[in-house]
Amino acid sequence: MAKILFVITASDHWTLADGTRQPAGFWAEEALGPYAVFKEAGYEIVAATPGGVPPTADALSLSPDFNGGEEGAERMRTALREATELAQPLRIEDVRIEDYAAVFYPGGWGPMEDLPDDAESGKLLTEWLASGKPVSLVCHGPAALLATIGPDGTSPFTGYRLTGLSNAEEKQNGLADRAKWLLQDRLVGELGADYRETEPFAPHIEIDRTLYTGQNPGSATPLAQEVLKALS
């Protein structure tokens, strides 16, 4: 059975500019929607995190407020419990790219804490791009691309057309004024990406060669469906 790798943050918080730790982790919808898409298509799911630490789902992403009420929240919690592969991750450095058809990075505020500086994740992304297999990241997940920037300031992803959570969306989330940095700013200013966005929280996907990115939580499932098309 072909496999899809999910690389997920190991952080359960995001440190803000004043040192406050915002409880975080991965955003459940952004992992579980794509998880269901790939599983239904017959793929085996394997997870990896920095250090092999079992990932934490952001409690907000499991709450009624973000799932259309208590019934939706319970469906999300049930889906998380049933996605047992996500709770038993490999260490990123133990991943063998040849074992997988594609890689998917869910978002959430957690990736802003650990993935921009994770050398193993940066190495994995660089090698994955060179492999010609689909590389997919959604919402805050593209923060991981910052770890591919070399000492000379360039990245193999420089110049790629992509998206990720916009400054406008972070402002609506209420944390933009307290953040150390904003994802859109660094993707443009440091990675040298051709960043694209649509209106806040409307589904939006960008595909450039083998790089697949989604702007926000509502883009996660459509993004996985596009990756699936590339694999069929």
Side-chain angles (χ1 to χ4, degrees):
M1 183 185 297
K3 300 177 184 177
I4 304 285
L5 181 72
F6 276 52
V7 177
I8 306 175
T9 177
S11 182
D12 62 2
H13 66 276
W14 181 26
T15 305
L16 302 177
D18 63 358
T20 301
R21 288 188 167 195
Q22 170 72 28
F26 69 91
W27 198 257
E29 176 186 358
E30 296 172 17
L32 297 174
Y35 174 93
V37 168
F38 294 131
K39 288 282 278 192
E40 287 167 11
Y43 285 88
E44 181 180 341
I45 305 298
V46 177
T49 66
V53 175
T56 299
D58 190 320
L60 284 176
S61 70
L62 300 171
S63 69
D65 287 347
F66 288 93
N67 290 283
E70 181 56 40
E71 185 176 333
E74 185 53 39
R75 282 197 300 269
M76 191 69 73
R77 295 182 205 119
T78 298
L80 181 62
R81 286 192 298 270
E82 292 176 349
T84 54
E85 302 96 328
L86 303 185
Q88 301 170 351
L90 303 172
R91 298 185 308 162
I92 293 174
E93 55 265 42
D94 293 334
V95 169
R96 289 162 38 97
I97 290 176
E98 57 267 30
D99 292 341
Y100 303 94
V103 64
F104 193 94
Y105 278 68
W109 283 317
M112 299 283 278
E113 183 73 19
D114 59 354
L115 294 183
D117 303 306
D118 190 282
E120 293 296 338
S121 175
K123 179 182 176 186
L124 182 76
L125 283 165
T126 297
E127 293 177 352
W128 216 293
L129 187 67
S131 78
K133 298 178 181 181
V135 178
S136 48
L137 314 93
V138 68
C139 199
H140 290 97
L145 297 174
L146 297 169
T148 68
I149 300 172
D152 64 353
T154 66
S155 159
F157 291 93
T158 297
Y160 270 72
R161 188 180 70 253
L162 54 73
T163 189
L165 196 85
S166 67
N167 289 354
E169 288 166 322
E170 201 70 90
K171 287 174 183 174
Q172 289 193 20
N173 283 337
L175 290 180
D177 293 341
R178 299 172 59 199
K180 292 179 181 178
W181 52 273
L182 299 179
L183 179 59
Q184 180 179 342
D185 291 345
R186 289 189 68 185
L187 290 176
V188 173
E190 295 178 36
L191 189 70
D194 178 7
Y195 178 87
R196 307 291 179 91
E197 65 181 297
T198 190
E199 60 186 272
F201 298 106
H204 177 64
I205 293 163
E206 290 290 342
I207 303 171
D208 187 352
R209 289 157 279 183
T210 58
L211 177 64
Y212 292 70
T213 51
Q215 183 174 324
N216 45 42
S219 307
T221 295
L223 180 63
Q225 291 166 339
E226 289 297 327
V227 173
L228 201 58
K229 289 178 188 176
L231 296 175
S232 44

